[in-house]
Amino acid sequence: MRQDELVEAYVIQARPWRETSLLYKVVAQDHGRVSLIHRGARNNRRDRPLPTLTPVRVSWGGRGSLYTLRHAEVAGPMTVKDPKRQVYALYVNEIVSYLLPDDRYSDEIYPLYHEALAHLDTAADPEFVLRGIEMDLLHLAGHPLQLDRTEQGKVEPGRQYRYHPGAGPTELPEGGEADGISGQTLLTLQARQEMDERTRREARRLMRQVLDYYTAPNVIRSRGIMQALAG
C-alpha cells in the first residue's frame, strides 16, 4: 500500500530499528494503524525524529505491513500541553498500540484519537475522559463492554457484581466478595455519567482488569506513572 500524498497523523510509539532508523506506530487519517520505518532518523541531523502527541503529516511507500516513511512534516504544536495530562495521553498511546494491531485499516481510529487528545487537554476531569476513551477503544477493537445486563437480567444499583471480560457481569451473593463492583458503578460507567469517589475508584479498577486481559502479555507502563502522580 502506497500513500503518496501527505495525510494527517499522530505517532503513538517510536522505537529503534536496526542501527540508524526508527520504527513508528502511527495513527493516520483514513488509514488507521500503520507501521512506518524512518530510515536514518537516529543519525541524521537534518531528518529529526517525529514527535508524539503532536499532529504531523506523512506519506509512505512499500509493500506488506511495514512501510517506509517517504515524507513527513510537523503540522502543529503539541496537542496536550500540561505535563501531567501528557502522561494520560501516553497511556492512551499504549492502549491504542496494544489493542489495535499493525496495519489495521479503519477510518474511525484517527478521529477517535484526535478527539481524545483534545479532550484530555481541556477537560476539567481528565480521568473521567479516560474511562470513555478506554471504552471507545475496546469497542473499536471488537471488545465492547456490556455493563447494564447480566445473563439473568438488568444490573441493579444496590447489588455487587464481578465482571468477566468477554462475558459481562455476574451477580455476587449477599455479603459477597470485597473486591466486587457495585451495580451503581457499572450503570454509571455504561451511561458515562459523572462519578463520586467510590464509583471512580471501582471504575478505575474495573477498566484496569479488562484492559490487562485484552492487552496481555503487554504491560501498560504509563499506568505506574499516573499512580505516582496521583500520590
Side-chain angles (χ1 to χ4, degrees), residues 25-198:
K25 292 185 178 183
V26 172
V27 171
Q29 189 173 32
D30 298 326
H31 289 275
R33 278 271 286 103
V34 183
S35 292
L36 304 176
I37 298 174
H38 190 171
R39 299 193 183 279
R42 295 163 62 197
N43 68 352
N44 189 337
R45 293 182 180 180
R46 286 185 170 181
D47 200 10
R48 296 176 180 271
L50 293 176
T52 59
L53 310 184
T54 302
V56 297
R57 297 187 185 95
V58 295
S59 66
W60 61 84
R63 297 179 179 180
S65 59
L66 190 58
Y67 306 106
T68 298
L69 182 71
R70 297 300 189 198
H71 301 284
E73 62 185 35
V74 174
M78 182 173 285
T79 304
V80 182
K81 303 170 186 65
D82 179 76
K84 182 175 181 180
R85 293 175 183 235
Q86 287 172 7
V87 177
Y88 294 144
L90 293 175
Y91 168 73
V92 173
N93 282 2
E94 286 195 85
I95 298 174
V96 173
S97 178
Y98 298 149
L99 276 180
L100 303 176
D102 292 340
D103 202 26
R104 163 71 185 271
Y105 172 79
S106 170
D107 59 5
E108 297 179 80
I109 299 175
Y110 176 86
L112 192 158
Y113 181 84
H114 178 74
E115 291 177 13
L117 292 191
H119 291 157
L120 284 175
D121 186 53
T122 60
D125 184 358
E127 186 174 348
F128 176 75
V129 173
L130 279 182
R131 300 291 84 83
I133 295 170
E134 290 165 339
M135 293 179 67
D136 287 339
L137 288 173
L138 283 164
H139 188 275
L140 196 57
H143 312 302
L145 299 187
Q146 178 62 49
L147 303 174
D148 57 357
R149 296 191 66 83
T150 69
E151 291 184 355
Q152 290 72 40
K154 293 182 179 179
V155 165
E156 299 292 337
R159 301 282 187 177
Q160 290 288 310
Y161 297 84
R162 176 170 292 283
Y163 189 85
H164 304 274
T170 56
E171 186 176 341
L172 296 173
E174 290 288 342
E177 300 177 45
D179 62 347
I181 304 293
S182 71
Q184 183 62 53
T185 294
L186 295 175
L187 294 171
T188 299
L189 190 57
Q190 181 79 39
R192 306 197 185 196
Q193 297 172 336
E194 295 294 332
M195 303 177 183
D196 59 24
E197 188 56 37
R198 177 190 176 185

